[in-house]
Amino acid sequence: MNQTVMIPRLEEKKIVPVVKLDRTADAQPLADALIRGGLPVAEVTFRTDAAEESIRIMKREFPDMLVGAGTVINTEQAKRALDAGASFLVSPGTSEKVLTFALDNDIPVFPGVCTPSEIMTCLDYGLEIVKFFPAKQYGGLDTMKALAGPFPAIRFMPTGGVSLSNMKEFLAFKKIIAIGGTWMVKGDLINAGQFDEIAKLTAEAVALAKEV
């Protein structure tokens, strides 16, 4: 599945929960909570040792769920994510080695950018959807609107500083296909087993996104 095939699914959902799991035991109930909240999407970050197996569990238990790997910073992680069944890769920056691996293996990849040079690198690889990260620290909407001028083909998935309070503002900008956020899947909620609360917060976000 290439990036072009993935785009309509992300545009439909509008939100990508960015999940950090410390325990593989939380993978199944977390995925179930997101689905109950109306958002069968998760970007599982490779910040913990539980990431790879968590992706594998989610895909096994919920085959139709869109499960990707986040914070992929090298080809070794990219390969592990692919082997675990990840539907897509997300990087915090632009690594040409990761881009090459993803394209060679026909897995969608969304590299992180915050500068014109990084966007030009992504365009060289035929990629027109990028992660803008960290969005808040690099000027948010104002910066993305400025970058959209010289790069009209580029569209964004901002992550970092996106929340329930500003998500509608982000989604209203037509160059944004989806937003990445952690507020509905905070670590303290996951670690405390508060999956009903996660489902509730997810449903609130989904309802708000539909208003845009």
Side-chain angles (χ1 to χ4, degrees):
M1 183 187 296
N2 59 34
Q3 197 187 59
T4 303
V5 176
M6 181 69 66
I7 291 170
R9 298 186 68 181
L10 291 175
E11 285 181 312
E12 176 191 1
K13 302 306 179 186
K14 297 184 179 180
I15 306 169
V16 179
V18 181
V19 180
K20 176 178 173 287
L21 289 169
D22 296 311
R23 303 178 301 235
T24 57
D26 293 325
Q28 189 275 337
L30 184 278
D32 177 69
L34 290 173
I35 291 170
R36 285 191 286 122
L39 192 58
V41 183
E43 174 190 329
V44 181
T45 68
F46 259 70
R47 298 181 186 180
T48 72
D49 293 336
E52 180 181 356
E53 185 60 22
S54 294
I55 291 171
R56 186 172 285 109
I57 291 169
M58 288 182 177
K59 290 302 295 183
R60 183 183 68 234
E61 298 298 322
F62 306 100
D64 294 331
M65 188 175 186
L66 197 58
V67 183
T71 323
V72 176
I73 61 174
N74 54 52
T75 55
E76 185 268 337
Q77 289 180 333
K79 184 180 186 305
R80 287 167 53 202
L82 181 64
D83 291 344
S87 302
F88 60 94
L89 307 177
V90 183
S91 295
T94 301
S95 162
E96 295 190 48
K97 289 183 178 179
V98 171
L99 298 186
T100 298
F101 175 89
L103 294 173
D104 287 348
N105 288 275
D106 197 31
I107 182 170
V109 59
F110 302 97
V113 307
C114 59
T115 68
S117 296
E118 290 166 324
I119 290 176
M120 290 171 68
T121 297
C122 294
L123 288 172
D124 285 342
Y125 280 82
L127 301 175
E128 297 183 347
I129 309 294
V130 295
K131 171 180 179 174
F132 185 69
F133 174 82
K136 179 180 179 180
Q137 289 79 358
Y138 279 97
L141 272 175
D142 287 343
T143 300
M144 281 183 281
K145 288 177 179 179
L147 291 169
F151 304 111
I154 285 290
R155 300 173 73 190
F156 302 96
M157 290 199 307
T159 304
V162 182
S163 65
L164 194 68
S165 64
N166 62 18
M167 59 174 284
K168 288 179 68 175
E169 184 181 1
F170 278 98
L171 289 173
F173 181 41
K174 298 307 179 184
K175 292 292 184 178
I176 291 176
I177 72 162
I179 56 172
T182 61
W183 73 90
M184 77 289 289
V185 287
K186 288 183 178 179
D188 57 346
L189 293 176
I190 296 173
N191 292 334
Q194 294 183 285
F195 298 108
D196 287 341
E197 179 66 15
I198 289 172
K200 176 185 174 183
L201 292 172
T202 301
E204 289 176 357
V206 169
L208 203 59
K210 289 180 178 178
E211 297 177 6
V212 180

